[in-house]
């Protein structure tokens, strides 16, 4: 029942009034995401005595453990179009997006040359779940199943307004960061951090954070303007 | 008009080819130090033809008394000479003689090794005349002394090689400018020995020559030559040394060599070592296996006496350096371990060195093969890498000291207080001849070193054996004279041998020595012989009224002079050899790189102009494309000017060479043809480039930029990315650290482009499958390169016996399973490919030209032949089925030849048919012809290439085929989009496919198992179908193997890419233009490809230069592997590109 309502809303886009959020809410989501990722990658594992370089698996597990609930929580008030279904339904659907996104990310990573040996399988899996949380989960929360919006934001990279910046720019940043992070791997320096997927994780986190920064600036200007106009 | 356009295009391509060829020629002339390996060997009886057979110096008679007698005879001879030469009264003379006789009589019976003294005394009593016969008897009686070139002075040699031994590991810190460091002076035992045991022990600074890598150094040490990265020779493959070398000479003399340690030795001398205990040198991270293995084998071996030369090669220091660097505490630990080992070895040798013990007459040599930088790298020519140490100790003390003139250092002691000069230097070149002289071996044929006097004097065996007791006043002189004469003989043979090598090399080698230097070398040789003769003549009567002592002094100084004059010849020869084989021609390299850069600019401009021509051909623009007259006039004019200037200047300033400018002009004159060629290149390029400003309509230019700006409001991400990727790739080539994984980098970039395609496909919501498929195929290709899915037995065809040995133990079932999987993996892709080809051919059967008719039949049958060939090889390898010899030989040799023949015939047929069918008009028809000709060419060459590439070939070819299909599909997607957006063919548009194509080519190169190193060449591929060696035939096969799948096929396939993406939509819409654009794009793609190639190659060159000039600054483990990188590949690539380009052009026309 609820599902049909949600889909109906999504399909009839344009006719539905778009939501505008206060700049405060958007900025706090930005801040919360940044703080969570930093906390999840560095601080929380350190409390357990892990470090990404020495214990990549455990660290990423920690990170996923903390980022997943926080992202779900932080993005739940945001939606691109007015939805009638409950937040729990949205969260449930978004939860599904994580494994699907992880599979896509893993496929792309392997296509780009991630090792396919068995001993790297769990690393690839962990890393792609992490990436999926950064890339796909926020979009799934905000966009739902509105495929035209997905296509516009991710394939064409044409975000128009505040919430779209929030899901588009950090995700692109993370992807580009991971791509850049892969560059140190073939160097013959024999350092531990050159191992898959450590450098890519660092790159992705760096890209994600800088994407958040950029989008927060853009959001600040635009959402202030829009909000004032809507008022 | 049209013909003019095409001929201009053709000329343009020719011109660019010319530029490339010139650039590559210059660069390789500077960089590619090549040395031809001669397969001559020194034989024992060769020495008779030397002008200085021992007799020449002693008696001047035709009957050559062997040096052995001369040795024991010298003392007596001196006196006789003195008596007869000087006009002293016989009484004085005899009194001196009797004195000596008394002395020797006293010494009689003192010990076993006084036998010679006794003989001497007897001889004296018997008189000088009968001496000769007696001595001949003596020699015949003593087989130990039977000599070859020189007289053996030591019986056994223990060589301990410590890989990457820095000089300061051994020398005290006062010798270093780094100050005291923990790793310095760690082999203290050596220093103690030198202090205590002199003159039986010495320490040298051992100077190696670049390339300072173990393999090259060992080769240099054993052959006495200067190995370069590419030694042209008959080995054509495995690093095994085919030149004359010490180990081979030892074997020929019936001596046994025991080796333990680094398995490089086994690669170098697969057959000549009597006993080998190899340990893998491959795993750099393993610090102890090799050393522990060597230690385990070394001490038992030292107790045995069934060997003559023992070689123990320790790798620990090298590995510690590579992994942790010199400054790590592990290095100190390792060195201390060696110190202890050496101590043990020496005490053991001492215990066993009593007379009658196995090590009575043993020489111990402890040396490094090269040094290392503080990072642990080596390969280059810096002092750190080149300087290593050699310690030598003879178990028996020599009897005398060398005169100061023959030492390379002014002082004799080696201790903490003494300065830097106190350590003699010993070039590594000298090692082989010195060791040969000590062991009494013929010197290796290609040795260009000098027998080092200090090392030679170290062995007691080179000093006279008799003893005078009580010591006589003149004894030291007499002993010294005898030694000097002996050394002079050795040196004379040495000079003769070096001279012979230079002569033979000059006659048979590909790259010659500069004539001028060679003739000055000859002068030196003649001069030293003249000097010897003069001295000999003046010796007799000149000493009237002088005493015996003075006579001896005079004699010593004469001998020293002669020795020095031979030494100077040998040193000059060494210098010449070094300049030829270890020093790069900087100027040539710079000119080559500059020309390349210029040619890239020419490319860019030419492309710009091609696009400027556009749809409607205007006369003015056409001329711009290649202003033939202008370019040729300018270049020829400037070349002529250059000739005139140089010649005029030369004739004017013949005597005034003080002016540096005049001198440089004169040096230009020496290489006049080259200079003119360079000037021709540069001036033509500049005149071509400078036409822009004159003839370009400024307005049009403005218009173009304006339009471009308008059209490219949103820059296409893929274009930018493609250009960015090329830049990134080029930069990654600049870094040493990336070179080892160049294949991975290419694959990563290709995958990134694939991601962009995927994004594009998602944007357009079409061709999604192709994009995903392309990503998968790319990944599959790169992983095939890394993991050998199919065991590649084809590489081992020439050594079939080995295969059968190794796989004979397979269980029968395993063998069949393997065979089945191999057959499946090879034949299925081939069947698929031939099916595709037939499909394509018969779909186009209605077309009137029959280009594809022949290939459709012949190529599948060639594939069948390949499968049969492999099957036969495998079957005989596994011993499952016993084929007749005839069948086996037939399938081994004839089938591959048939495949090659098929390719060649098909090429000619395709060329002929396409040439014939161009007479028929009709654009779309010609378009078809072009496309099908490309298919036919690719198909024609695929069997040969697949055969050469080996078992992986079919699978890779199949994957590539599909990848290319996807790529082509994706191209057309993009094109359609763009055409909708703007009806204009844009310059950038072609860069993406060109970049794709290029990366694909690079990826293919690596995934077919090639590496960018000279030892990465797959030599066995050159012998598929042939047993004997022919430089051109085997070279061609090797080139096809190396560049076939990666460069030849992609270049042949370029028109396919272009035609495929155009044919669908354009023929109907823009029929008249299709062919034109197709052609332009062909050239364009080729040009961009070459451009990209060239850009990258330039980078590679810079790396090469960097690595060689400042190797310390670079951090690579196997920098040399990379250094060997690309000129070779590049050479072939460009030539191939260019040739194929031309061929293709002719087909098109």
């Amino acid at each position: 029942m609820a599902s049909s309502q949600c889909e109906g809303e999504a399909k009839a886009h344009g006719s539905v009034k778009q939501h505008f959020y206060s700049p405060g809410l958007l900025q706090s989501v930005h801040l919360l995401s940044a703080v969570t990722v930093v906390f999840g990658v560095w601080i929380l594992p350190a409390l357990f005595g892990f470090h990404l370089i020495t214990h990549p698996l455990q660290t990423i597990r920690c990170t996923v453990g903390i980022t997943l609930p926080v992202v779900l929580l932080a993005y739940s008030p945001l939606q691109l179009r007015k939805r009638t279904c409950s937040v729990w339904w949205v969260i449930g659907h978004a939860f599904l997006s994580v494994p699907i996104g992880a599979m896509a990310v893993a496929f792309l990573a392997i296509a780009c040359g991630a090792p396919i040996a068995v001993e790297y399988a769990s690393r690839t899996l962990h890393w792609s779940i992490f990436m999926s949380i950064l890339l796909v989960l926020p979009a799934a929360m905000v966009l739902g199943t509105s495929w035209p919006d997905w296509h516009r934001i991710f394939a064409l990279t044409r975000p128009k307004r505040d919430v779209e910046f929030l899901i588009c720019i950090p995700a692109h940043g993370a992807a580009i960061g991971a791509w850049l992070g892969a560059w140190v791997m073939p160097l013959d320096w024999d350092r531990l951090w050159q191992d898959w997927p450590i450098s890519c994780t660092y790159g992705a986190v760096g890209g994600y954070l800088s994407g958040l920064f950029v989008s927060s600036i853009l959001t600040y200007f635009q959402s202030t303007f829009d909000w004032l106009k809507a008022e | 008009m049209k013909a003019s356009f095409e001929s201009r295009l053709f000329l343009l391509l020719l011109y660019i080819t010319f530029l490339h060829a010139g650039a590559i020629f210059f660069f390789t002339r500077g960089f590619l130090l090549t040395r031809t390996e001669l397969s001559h060997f020194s034989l024992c009886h060769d020495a008779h033809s030397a002008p200085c057979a021992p007799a020449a110096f002693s008696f001047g008679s035709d009957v050559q008394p062997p040096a052995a007698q001369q040795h024991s005879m010298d003392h007596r001879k001196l006196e006789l000479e003195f008596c007869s030469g000087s006009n002293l009264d016989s009484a004085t003379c005899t009194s001196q003689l009797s004195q000596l006789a008394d002395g020797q009589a006293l010494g009689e019976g003192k010990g076993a090794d006084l036998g010679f003294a006794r003989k001497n005394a007897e001889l004296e009593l018997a008189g000088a005349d009968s001496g000769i016969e007696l001595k001949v008897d003596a020699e015949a009686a003593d087989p130990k002394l039977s000599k070859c070139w020189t007289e053996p002075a030591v019986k056994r040699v223990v060589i301990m090689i410590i890989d990457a031994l820095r000089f300061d590991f051994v020398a005290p810190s006062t010798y270093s400018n780094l100050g005291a460091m923990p790793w310095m002076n760690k082999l203290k035992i050596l220093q103690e020995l030198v202090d205590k045991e002199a003159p039986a022990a010495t320490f040298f600074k051992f100077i190696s020559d670049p390339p300072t890598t173990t393999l090259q150094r060992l080769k240099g040490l054993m052959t006495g030559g200067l190995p370069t990265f590419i030694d042209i020779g008959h080995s054509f493959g495995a690093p095994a040394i085919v030149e004359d070398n010490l180990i081979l000479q030892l074997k020929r003399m019936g001596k046994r060599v025991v080796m333990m340690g680094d398995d490089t030795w086994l690669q170098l001398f697969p057959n000549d070592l009597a006993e080998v205990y190899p340990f893998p040198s491959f795993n750099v991270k393993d610090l102890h296996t090799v050393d522990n293995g060597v230690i385990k084998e070394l001490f038992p071996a030292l107790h045995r006496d069934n060997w003559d030369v023992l070689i123990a090669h320790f790798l620990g220091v090298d590995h510690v350096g590579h992994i942790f660097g010199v400054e790590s505490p592990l290095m100190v630990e390792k060195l201390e371990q060696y110190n202890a080992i050496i101590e043990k070895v020496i005490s053991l040798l001492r215990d066993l060195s009593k007379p009658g013990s196995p090590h009575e007459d043993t020489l111990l040599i402890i040396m490094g093969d090269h040094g290392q930088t503080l990072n642990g790298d080596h390969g280059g020519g810096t002092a750190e890498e080149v300087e290593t140490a050699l310690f030598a100790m003879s178990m028996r003390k020599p009897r005398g000291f060398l005169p100061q003139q023959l030492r390379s250092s002014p002082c004799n002691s080696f201790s903490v207080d003494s300065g830097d000069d106190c350590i003699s230097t010993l070039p590594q070149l000298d090692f082989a001849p010195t060791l040969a002289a000590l062991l009494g071996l013929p010197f290796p044929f290609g040795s260009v070193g000098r027998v080092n006097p200090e090392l030679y004097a170290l062995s007691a065996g080179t000093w006279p054996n008799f003893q005078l007791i009580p010591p006589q006043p003149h004894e030291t002189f007499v002993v010294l004279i005898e030694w000097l004469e002996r050394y002079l003989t050795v040196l004379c043979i040495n000079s003769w041998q070096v001279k012979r090598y230079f002569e033979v090399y000059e006659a048979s080698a590909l790259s010659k020595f500069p004539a001028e230097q060679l003739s000055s070398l000859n002068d030196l040789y003649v001069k030293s012989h003249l000097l010897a003769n003069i001295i000999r003549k003046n010796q007799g009567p000149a000493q009237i009224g002088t005493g015996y002592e003075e006579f001896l002094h005079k004699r010593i100084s004469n001998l020293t002079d002669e020795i020095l004059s031979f030494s100077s010849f040998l040193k000059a020869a060494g210098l010449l050899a070094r300049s030829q084989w270890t020093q790069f021609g900087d100027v040539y390299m710079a000119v080559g790189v500059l020309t390349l850069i210029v040619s890239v600019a020419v490319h860019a401009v030419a492309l710009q102009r091609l696009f400027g021509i556009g749809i409607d051909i205007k006369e003015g623009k056409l001329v711009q494309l290649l202003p033939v007259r202008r370019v040729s006039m300018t270049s020829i004019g400037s070349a002529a000017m250059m000739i005139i200037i140089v010649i005029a200047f030369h004739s004017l300033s013949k005597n005034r060479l003080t002016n540096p400018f005049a001198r440089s002009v004169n040096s230009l004159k020496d290489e006049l043809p080259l200079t003119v060629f360079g000037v021709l290149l540069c001036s033509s390029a500049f005149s071509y480039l400078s036409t822009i400003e004159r003839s370009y309509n400024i307005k049009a230019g403005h218009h173009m930029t304006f339009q471009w700006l308008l059209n490219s409001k949103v820059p296409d991400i893929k274009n930018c990315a493609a250009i960015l990727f090329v830049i990134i790739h080029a930069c990654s080539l600049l870094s040493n650290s990336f070179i080892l994984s160049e294949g991975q980098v290419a694959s990563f970039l290709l995958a990134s482009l694939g991601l962009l395609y995927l994004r594009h496909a998602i944007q357009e919501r079409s061709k999604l499958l192709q994009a995903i498929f392309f990503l998968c195929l790319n990944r599959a290709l790169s992983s095939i390169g890394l993991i050998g899915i199919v065991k590649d037995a084809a590489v081992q065809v020439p050594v079939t016996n080995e295969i059968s040995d190794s796989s004979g133990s397979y269980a029968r079932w395993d063998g069949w399973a393997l065979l089945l999987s191999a057959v499946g993996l090879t034949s299925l892709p081939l069947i698929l490919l031939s099916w595709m080809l037939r499909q394509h051919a018969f779909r186009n059967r209605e077309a009137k030209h029959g280009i594809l008719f022949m290939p459709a039949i012949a190529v599948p049958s060639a594939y069948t032949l390949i499968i049969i060939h492999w099957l036969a090889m495998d079957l005989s390898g596994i011993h499952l089925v016993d084929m007749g010899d005839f069948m086996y030989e037939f399938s081994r040799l004839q089938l591959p030849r048939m495949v090659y023949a098929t390719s060649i015939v098909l090429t000619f047929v395709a060329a002929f048919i396409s040439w014939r069918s161009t007479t028929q008009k009709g654009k779309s028809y010609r378009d078809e012809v072009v496309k099908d000709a490309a298919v036919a060419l690719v198909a024609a060459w695929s069997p040969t290439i697949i055969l050469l590439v080996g078992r992986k070939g079919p699978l890779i070819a199949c994957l590539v085929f599909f990848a290319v299909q996807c790529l082509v599909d994706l191209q057309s997607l993009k094109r359609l989009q763009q055409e909708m957006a703007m009806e204009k063919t844009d310059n950038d548009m072609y860069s993406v496919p060109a970049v794709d194509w290029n990366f694909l080519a690079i990826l293919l190169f690596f995934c077919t198992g090639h590496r960018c190193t000279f030892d990465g060449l797959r030599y066995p591929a050159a012998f598929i179908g042939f047993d004997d060696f022919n430089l051109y035939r085997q070279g061609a096969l090797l080139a096809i193997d190396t560049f076939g799948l990666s460069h030849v096929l992609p270049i042949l396939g370029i028109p396919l890419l272009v035609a495929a993406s155009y044919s669908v939509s354009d023929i109907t819409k823009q029929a008249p233009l299709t062919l034109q654009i197709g052609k332009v794009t062909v050239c364009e793609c080729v040009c961009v490809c070459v451009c990209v190639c060239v850009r990258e190659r330039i980078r590679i060159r810079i790396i090469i230069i960097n690595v060689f000039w400042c190797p310390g600054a670079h951090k690579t483990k196997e920098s040399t592997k990379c250094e060997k990188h690309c000129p070779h590949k590049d050479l072939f690539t460009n030539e191939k590109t260019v040739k194929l380009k031309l061929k293709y052009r002719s087909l098109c026309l």
Side-chain angles (χ1 to χ4, degrees), chain B residues 179-481:
Chain B
M181 290 291 192
W183 69 81
M184 286 176 180
N185 193 15
K186 276 293 162 240
L187 302 181
K188 289 213 171 73
I189 173 82
L190 299 184
Q191 205 178 320
E192 278 168 32
L193 283 171
V194 172
D195 283 343
K196 255 193 292 180
E197 300 277 329
T202 340
F203 181 72
F204 295 95
K205 186 187 259 186
F206 201 32
I207 308 285
S208 58
D209 297 289
T212 47
T213 48
T214 301
L215 190 132
Q216 262 78 21
R217 278 302 90 220
L218 291 184
K219 200 170 171 184
L221 282 170
M222 289 299 126
T223 59
L226 290 162
T228 53
F229 281 130
I230 343 155
D231 289 339
I232 304 169
H234 294 270
S235 67
F236 206 63
I241 297 182
V242 288
E243 279 178 297
D244 198 3
N245 60 66
L246 280 183
I247 305 288
L248 185 82
Q249 292 292 354
L250 280 166
K251 194 188 175 198
R252 287 195 173 177
M253 294 287 281
K255 309 218 172 192
R256 285 171 55 85
V257 182
V258 177
M259 201 290 302
M260 51 199 67
D262 189 348
D263 57 2
T264 313
W265 283 87
L266 203 58
Q267 293 172 28
L268 289 173
F269 310 100
N271 304 319
D272 299 336
L273 299 165
E275 239 179 283
V276 198
Y277 305 95
F279 299 96
S281 59
F282 183 69
N283 185 4
V284 190
K285 294 185 181 173
D286 179 2
L287 304 183
H288 299 295
T289 310
V290 177
D291 288 359
N292 292 342
V294 173
I295 294 165
K296 204 179 121 226
E297 300 294 341
L298 176 62
F299 290 99
L302 284 176
H303 282 283
R304 290 197 302 264
D305 56 358
N306 60 349
W307 49 264
D308 299 288
V309 173
L310 184 145
I311 298 165
H313 192 134
F314 294 90
L315 274 178
V317 167
D318 185 51
H319 287 186
V320 172
H322 279 316
I323 300 293
F324 302 102
V326 168
E327 285 161 272
S328 96
L330 278 172
M331 183 64 89
V332 176
E333 215 172 89
K334 202 81 214 172
L335 290 171
E336 274 160 1
Q337 183 193 359
Y338 288 150
N339 199 34
I341 295 169
I342 292 169
E343 212 164 350
K344 259 173 90 183
V345 167
I346 284 173
S347 69
L348 179 67
L349 287 179
R350 272 205 188 124
D351 291 345
L352 295 176
S353 67
K354 311 254 167 359
S357 304
H359 289 294
E360 178 191 357
D361 214 351
T362 298
L363 182 69
L364 170 70
I365 296 177
I366 297 169
M367 65 184 189
D369 56 347
H370 50 75
Q372 56 180 320
T373 63
L374 290 184
N375 286 331
D377 305 331
H378 53 86
T382 57
E384 279 182 314
E385 290 160 278
V386 165
E387 285 176 5
T388 177
L390 182 139
F391 166 85
M393 179 174 166
S394 161
M395 290 299 128
R396 206 143 51 94
K397 267 201 181 180
R399 289 190 59 209
F401 287 92
L402 278 186
Q404 198 50 252
Q405 293 104 303
L406 295 182
R407 295 186 174 279
S408 57
S409 70
C411 52
N412 197 15
S413 64
F414 161 62
S415 63
V416 185
D417 318 320
S418 53
D420 193 12
D421 322 327
C422 273
I423 295 177
S424 307
T425 54
L426 172 66
Q428 269 191 356
L429 272 187
D430 296 357
F431 180 79
T434 312
L435 201 64
L438 285 171
L439 284 165
L441 306 170
F443 300 171
F445 189 87
S447 143
V448 287
R450 172 180 77 121
V451 175
N452 185 284
E454 288 166 90
L455 192 55
Y456 191 67
L458 199 70
S459 155
T462 60
W463 294 86
N465 258 328
F466 62 82
Q467 302 221 331
L468 303 176
I469 297 169
Q472 298 290 306
H474 304 310
E475 187 199 345
T476 48
F477 295 124
V478 174
V479 165
L480 184 61
I481 287 176

Side-chain angles (χ1 to χ4, degrees), chain A residues 107-117 147-148 151-152 154-158 172 178-180 182-191, chain B residues 285 323 725 728-729 732 735-738 740-741 744-745 748-749 751-752 755 758-759 762-765 772 775-776 778-779 783 1115-1117:
Chain A
F107 169 75
L108 294 182
I110 287 172
C112 277
I116 40 176
W147 298 119
H151 187 254
R152 177 170 54 85
F154 284 104
L156 301 175
T157 327
R158 297 213 175 109
H172 277 81
W179 187 82
L180 288 177
W183 269 100
V184 296
M185 286 169 60
L187 286 170
D188 65 347
W189 294 351
D190 274 338
R191 301 295 148 92
Chain B
K285 294 185 181 173
I323 300 293
F725 286 174
I728 290 177
H729 187 229
S732 84
S735 150
N736 252 338
S737 308
F738 272 117
L740 287 179
S741 49
Q744 284 173 38
V745 173
F748 180 66
L749 286 173
S752 308
L755 285 184
L758 181 63
R759 185 171 172 276
I762 294 173
Q763 279 176 9
E764 309 300 341
R765 296 167 202 264
I772 291 176
L775 279 176
C776 296
N778 174 33
R779 174 65 207 193
S783 54
K1115 190 176 166 58
T1116 36
K1117 278 176 198 131

Side-chain angles (χ1 to χ4, degrees), chain B residues 785-801:
Chain B
L786 296 176
I787 313 157
I789 290 182
V790 189
K791 182 172 169 284
D792 201 342
V795 205
Q796 302 168 357
V797 166
V799 278
T800 343
N801 295 332

Side-chain angles (χ1 to χ4, degrees), chain B residues 66-83:
Chain B
Q69 309 144 18
Q70 185 203 346
H71 171 57
S72 54
M73 176 60 187
D74 269 352
H75 177 206
R76 169 77 185 123
K77 190 189 73 206
L78 272 175
E79 282 157 10
L80 290 175
E81 231 175 77
F82 170 66
C83 289

Side-chain angles (χ1 to χ4, degrees), chain A residues 11 21 25 40 51 77 80 112 119 130-131 148 176 194 209 218:
Chain A
K11 269 173 198 157
Y21 298 101
L25 176 66
H51 193 267
L80 196 60
C112 277
E119 62 262 33
F130 172 63
M131 287 302 283
I176 293 171
Q194 281 179 292
L209 291 180
L218 285 177

